[in-house]
Amino acid sequence: TVPDPSLPLPRFPRDFVWGVSTSAAQIEGAVGEDGRGRSAWDVFAAEGRRIKDGSDPRVATDHYHRYREDVALLGELGVGAYRFSVAWPRVAPDGSGAVNGAGLDFYDRLVDELLAAGVAPIPTLFHWDTPQALEEGGGWLVRETAERFAAYAEVVAGRLGDRVERWITLNEPAELTLLGYGLGQHAPGRQLLFEALPAAHHQLLGHGLAVQALRAQGARNIGIANSHGPTWPASAAEADTAAADLYDLLLNRLFAEPVLLGRYPDEELAGLLPGPVAEDLEIISQPLDWYGINYYQPTLVGAPAAEGSGPTAFGGIQLPPELPFAPREIPGYPRTDFGWPVVPEALTELLVSFRERYGDRLPPVVITENGCAYEGIEDGERIAFLDGHLRALHAAMDAGVDVRGYFVWSLLDNFEWAEGYARRFGLVHVDYETLRRTPKASYRWLRDALREQARG
Ligand code: GBH
């Protein structure tokens, strides 16, 4: 049955956390201001070849100067929480060494503004904007970056910890490993394929070290935002199920199991990782207070065709034929402007499978991102997308999965990485000429739905 977004949503628990998410590189702009250092994304975009519309994140939505207006939009929307990211190169321009007080001041003002509006600030400490100085030393391929990250986490917690009650270490280490270091679609543009795996391990280690640093500063309520989605085999043939299992291992289990179970899902793969892996896993698997999942879509995976996969996945790029799996198009579902299939019931499937796989090792879950790219201010498709996914989320809760919150990606249209400004994920439209914000139909729909929930 197709859900009808004009019907009220099922009732969520009273203390369920409703929020929206953004990230620094995608909204702030002001890249050269107040002592901010360069990030790997500034440099990647300046190289100019890889962003599809030839754009860059220098201005983005100018949130750095317009944060008061954006916080007012959050207040009117009625969300209880706002997930934003702290730009590491704003706080530590060289990635290590001197702290830039003016950079920290921005987040200090933002947190105060949010609290005054009744919105809980939830910082993500790293959403892909590695300081360029560290990138030049090997970025996440080297262990030192994990250590520098923990030092920076300590500085941020020291400054904001008196007002911030919930923290996120990393955003989607899987995507940065695959797209940034493996395939070169994202900064730093490396194409190392399986040699990108150290970037996964060092991000996970950075997560663990940051959890220690945050706890040492008195922080509680710490999570991570990992991207996950069900992986469906293209057929029951052995070659396809094996390819799908490998994809699931690399995109889901490789990032969930070190954190939740304290081990890598595969011995052979663990053998490829640098460092004292067993000791590192102790650090990586410290108990978390909750587990964040960014969900967008399921992936249909088969064995690679002889000539490599068609341009169906990862932003429509042709995958190198040496990859032992090939994402395929999923027929029979509507698609967003990005081409991603809209499959709300796969969110239920994902959450139930996590509960089955990890049992009591899975802490309470928060959906830290879910959203879609569509044009237009009268965005009925986005309303249908959110409505369908919230119903699917509720179904997972009915099935016994402990979910505590849901965050829409994103508050604003923003810099969509390799796609530039061409994909619009916002509840609020941004005119990139005037930087004017206009709430979309989906913004009003969510505001009304949240009011309805609050009445219950
Ligand atoms: C998130 O990552 C990011 O955290 C956020 O910054 C970004 O703006 C947002 O999503 C929207 O892109 O080509 O059909 O194989 C994206 C997570 C997981 C979504 C893999 C795309 C592959 C789709 N991605 N998925 S497909």
Side-chain angles (χ1 to χ4, degrees):
T1 55
V2 180
D4 175 355
S6 67
L7 294 174
L9 289 169
R11 188 150 301 287
F12 286 77
R14 272 218 157 273
D15 56 358
F16 193 79
V17 180
W18 297 95
V20 295
S21 295
T22 63
S23 93
Q26 295 178 270
I27 64 167
E28 283 182 3
V31 298
E33 281 181 54
D34 297 336
R36 180 186 174 283
R38 289 190 311 162
S39 83
W41 267 97
D42 297 341
V43 173
F44 184 75
E47 286 168 5
R49 285 164 292 130
R50 293 189 177 96
I51 314 292
K52 280 189 189 149
D53 60 1
S55 65
D56 61 60
R58 279 183 293 180
V59 177
T61 73
D62 195 33
H63 169 78
Y64 190 77
H65 298 115
R66 292 164 201 256
Y67 69 95
R68 284 201 175 81
E69 183 183 351
D70 294 338
V71 171
L73 286 163
L74 290 165
E76 267 161 59
L77 182 57
V79 286
Y82 173 53
R83 174 181 172 234
F84 60 97
S85 82
V86 176
W88 186 354
R90 234 182 245 298
V91 174
D94 300 318
S96 50
V99 169
N100 177 34
L104 274 171
D105 290 346
F106 171 69
Y107 299 104
D108 203 84
R109 293 194 295 275
L110 175 62
V111 163
D112 285 343
E113 191 79 11
L114 287 163
L115 292 172
V119 180
I122 307 185
T124 301
L125 290 168
F126 179 66
H127 197 127
W128 303 351
D129 45 1
T130 314
Q132 177 62 14
L134 294 183
E135 199 64 73
E136 283 166 13
W140 290 99
L141 296 168
V142 303
R143 190 177 182 90
E144 196 200 333
T145 297
E147 288 153 8
R148 298 279 69 82
F149 177 62
Y152 146 75
E154 183 182 332
V155 167
V156 178
R159 181 67 181 270
L160 305 180
D162 57 335
R163 285 153 292 154
V164 164
E165 290 180 358
R166 192 186 276 258
W167 297 86
I168 299 174
T169 54
L170 305 180
N171 181 71
E172 298 188 354
E175 305 295 313
L176 177 52
T177 303
L178 180 79
L179 299 176
Y181 291 94
L183 299 175
Q185 287 298 104
H186 281 186
R190 309 285 300 263
Q191 298 181 319
L192 301 171
L193 299 179
F194 281 92
E195 281 162 40
L197 281 171
H201 182 68
H202 291 137
Q203 284 180 87
L204 289 165
L205 177 63
H207 156 78
L209 293 171
V211 173
Q212 291 181 334
L214 288 169
R215 294 226 194 275
Q217 293 289 311
R220 299 288 172 266
N221 228 336
I222 304 169
I224 187 171
N226 263 333
S227 71
H228 292 298
T231 305
W232 296 343
S235 81
E238 161 70 24
D240 285 339
T241 58
D245 285 349
L246 181 61
Y247 187 93
D248 179 46
L249 183 104
L250 291 171
L251 274 298
N252 290 315
R253 299 176 59 201
L254 177 62
F255 296 90
E257 294 183 13
V259 170
L260 297 175
L261 307 180
R263 58 172 169 72
Y264 277 107
D266 183 277
E267 293 281 317
E268 196 182 319
L269 188 141
L272 299 172
L273 299 172
V277 172
E279 280 96 325
D280 290 351
L281 282 165
E282 296 277 311
I283 298 168
I284 293 167
S285 62
Q286 296 160 83
L288 287 180
D289 302 289
W290 52 278
Y291 188 80
I293 293 180
N294 296 354
Y295 170 73
Y296 287 89
Q297 88 294 312
T299 310
L300 186 71
V301 179
E307 68 284 13
S309 79
T312 60
F314 308 118
I317 57 162
Q318 184 81 33
L319 294 182
E322 57 268 45
L323 279 186
F325 49 76
R328 309 257 175 93
E329 249 173 63
I330 303 184
Y333 290 96
R335 288 170 179 283
T336 70
D337 285 354
F338 223 135
W340 303 348
V342 180
V343 193
E345 60 270 30
L347 175 58
T348 317
E349 178 191 329
L350 175 73
L351 291 169
V352 169
S353 77
F354 257 70
R355 172 75 203 166
E356 281 166 1
R357 275 182 180 176
Y358 305 123
D360 292 337
R361 304 294 294 270
L362 180 68
V365 169
V366 174
I367 300 300
T368 33
E369 287 181 26
N370 178 233
C372 50
Y374 288 111
E375 288 296 306
I377 289 173
E378 292 305 317
D379 55 344
E381 302 104 319
R382 180 170 287 102
I383 294 173
F385 181 100
L386 296 175
D387 179 85
H389 284 80
L390 284 167
R391 287 172 201 278
L393 182 63
H394 200 274
M397 295 165 73
D398 283 344
V401 187
D402 183 3
V403 185
R404 305 287 178 90
Y406 175 87
F407 288 69
V408 177
W409 183 271
S410 182
L411 173 65
L412 304 167
D413 291 341
N414 60 50
F415 176 69
E416 179 50 36
W417 309 117
E419 302 284 320
Y421 297 95
R423 306 288 178 210
R424 294 179 176 273
F425 278 86
L427 296 167
V428 175
H429 177 272
V430 176
D431 178 325
Y432 291 114
E433 297 289 311
T434 62
L435 296 168
R436 197 171 145 214
R437 277 85 163 125
T438 308
K440 301 180 188 178
S442 58
Y443 174 99
R444 295 191 295 276
W445 175 85
L446 183 61
R447 179 196 62 197
D448 293 349
L450 296 184
R451 282 184 189 157
E452 185 67 34
Q453 291 287 328
R455 257 201 292 278

